[in-house]
Amino acid sequence: MSASRPQPRPGVLDIEAYVPGKSSAPGVAKVYKLSSNETPLGPSPRAIEAYHGVADRLHDYPDGTVRTLREAIGRAFGLDPARIVCGAGSDDLINLLARAYLADGDEAIYTTHGFLIYPIATLGAGAKPVVAAERNYTADVDAILRGVTPNTKIVFIANPNNPTGTYVPFDEVRRLHRELPPHVLLVLDAAYAEYVQRNDYESGIELVATTDNVVMTRTFSKIYGLAALRLGWLYGPAHIVDAINRIRGPFNVNGPAIAAGIAAMQDTAHVDRARAHNTHWLAWLTDEIGKLGLAVTPSAANFVLIHFPEVKGRTARDADAFLTKRGLILRQVGAYKLPNALRMSVGTEEANRLVVQALKEFLGKAA
Ligand SMILES: Cc1ncc(COP(=O)(O)O)c(C=O)c1O
């Protein structure tokens, strides 16, 4: 059968295109965007200065090997820069991993409320996403292991996960790795690692360093506040780094991102401030919203998942409409199989207090 027009490869049209968080509220003067887990502190002033510093070199191609940034990351984390690959956001790297390690008919496992880029990258590579059930909104190692078949090539875990904020203790990640067949690639997406304050958490650096089938991805979009520049990196075994370097775009990271990324990584005081702000307000939001009678999933990241009742006038959709009218933009998470919840990024003190006050009014509990 010959098609009458070009056809995308099987799987592409099964993709539900990713819908980013809203960023505007029509007719509202002041908008508080709490829908994309950006940092309320913004980037380091040193990163902004470095960005401006390259404005007169926009005609030059960037260094395609991203050497200076890989070296800065290597120094900061004690890693061999040769085992780091940078990308246009960690999305870029996740897609490259899928393209390099999945073929038609292969399977990649992710979890029920796992980050949506995983099934998108999997289908885009012609492979099949397989969903492993979660327990208490948390990835469940046994369910993932039960999902493994001879066709499984990748397991994706965001640790902590977006949009739930939950994390898998590292002993469990090690157990998952131990019990996976050695040809299965375990991708540990640690986009929120810098925010985590838990003794039993690790981002995965040691596991990557000591094994052949684990990769960790990181981003500059969250605590470093450089989401607009699209910058992420991965740390992996040399053979995986080699494969990704063969298929990535030769200039997949732009010059301003490289300059700003180096400066952001060096400003550790700014990162400490962002972490301290988050630790304080994450706990505050969890308590205050909980006191209103709404369940909040305990989060290790820079956002909270708020659950609403299935009662007319009180649903997540109703709450979203109520908050949006006040310029408070949260994230609907129906696409994550959480139609009765909203995800809220930890914002400025002002934004956090406004959301709690607005939720009080929404629930009819305002004094
Ligand atoms: C778990 C997780 N991984 C990866 C990303 C992608 O980040 P970026 O492509 O901006 O680096 C996000 C962004 O929301 C995320 O939540």
Side-chain angles (χ1 to χ4, degrees), residues 18 36-37 88-92 94 115 118 158 160 162 189 191-192 218-222 230-232:
Y18 186 84
S36 299
N37 302 340
S90 43
D91 283 354
D92 183 27
I94 291 164
F115 186 47
Y118 311 146
N162 168 21
D189 174 348
Y192 300 95
R218 303 286 282 254
T219 184
F220 280 85
S221 302
K222 306 301 173 184
R230 311 305 304 126
L231 185 58

Side-chain angles (χ1 to χ4, degrees), residues 18 35-37 110-118 134 136-138 158-167 189 192 222 282 296-307 331-339 341-345:
Y18 186 84
S35 57
S36 299
N37 302 340
Y110 74 114
T111 63
T112 311
H113 308 297
F115 186 47
L116 274 178
I117 295 299
Y118 311 146
E134 296 188 3
N136 294 331
Y137 300 106
T138 309
N159 205 22
N161 182 51
N162 168 21
T164 53
T166 55
Y167 74 104
D189 174 348
Y192 300 95
K222 306 301 173 184
L282 179 69
V296 180
T297 301
S299 170
N302 69 335
F303 53 86
V304 284
L305 187 67
I306 310 166
H307 302 266
R331 178 70 182 266
Q332 287 197 18
V333 280
Y336 285 93
K337 304 187 194 94
L338 295 163
L342 293 178
R343 190 193 70 199
M344 173 191 177
S345 310

Side-chain angles (χ1 to χ4, degrees), residues 12-225:
V12 170
L13 297 183
D14 297 330
I15 294 174
E16 296 274 352
Y18 186 84
V19 181
K22 285 186 293 187
S23 55
S24 62
V28 179
K30 183 159 182 190
V31 166
Y32 299 84
K33 184 170 183 256
L34 304 166
S35 57
S36 299
N37 302 340
E38 294 136 340
T39 168
L41 272 61
S44 156
R46 283 158 61 177
I48 298 174
E49 197 184 316
Y51 173 81
H52 286 306
V54 294
D56 61 352
R57 298 219 305 274
L58 298 186
H59 52 286
D60 286 334
Y61 276 99
D63 165 20
T65 71
V66 200
R67 180 181 55 80
T68 48
L69 175 58
R70 286 187 297 105
E71 287 174 354
I73 296 169
R75 274 193 300 279
F77 288 89
L79 306 177
D80 176 1
R83 290 181 56 178
I84 294 170
V85 186
C86 296
S90 43
D91 283 354
D92 183 27
L93 298 163
I94 291 164
N95 275 291
L96 289 168
L97 288 164
R99 254 177 67 205
Y101 288 94
L102 296 174
D104 293 353
D106 286 344
E107 295 171 3
I109 300 179
Y110 74 114
T111 63
T112 311
H113 308 297
F115 186 47
L116 274 178
I117 295 299
Y118 311 146
I120 291 176
T122 302
L123 286 164
K128 185 177 151 204
V130 172
V131 181
E134 296 188 3
R135 196 182 282 205
N136 294 331
Y137 300 106
T138 309
D140 174 1
V141 165
D142 293 307
I144 293 171
L145 289 169
R146 277 197 301 277
V148 174
T149 75
N151 295 329
T152 306
K153 295 290 158 55
I154 299 186
V155 171
F156 289 108
I157 294 190
N159 205 22
N161 182 51
N162 168 21
T164 53
T166 55
Y167 74 104
V168 182
F170 216 71
D171 279 352
E172 278 293 278
V173 175
R174 275 198 205 90
R175 179 165 77 87
L176 171 62
H177 171 259
R178 248 192 336 266
E179 296 186 23
L180 278 177
H183 67 273
V184 173
L185 173 60
L186 176 59
V187 177
L188 301 176
D189 174 348
Y192 300 95
E194 292 83 359
Y195 285 113
V196 183
Q197 309 270 290
R198 299 285 196 283
N199 289 335
D200 57 355
Y201 175 80
E202 283 178 37
S203 61
I205 287 176
E206 198 199 319
L207 195 61
V208 173
T210 53
T211 59
D212 251 353
N213 62 331
V214 184
V215 163
M216 172 192 70
T217 60
R218 303 286 282 254
T219 184
F220 280 85
S221 302
K222 306 301 173 184
I223 209 162
Y224 298 100

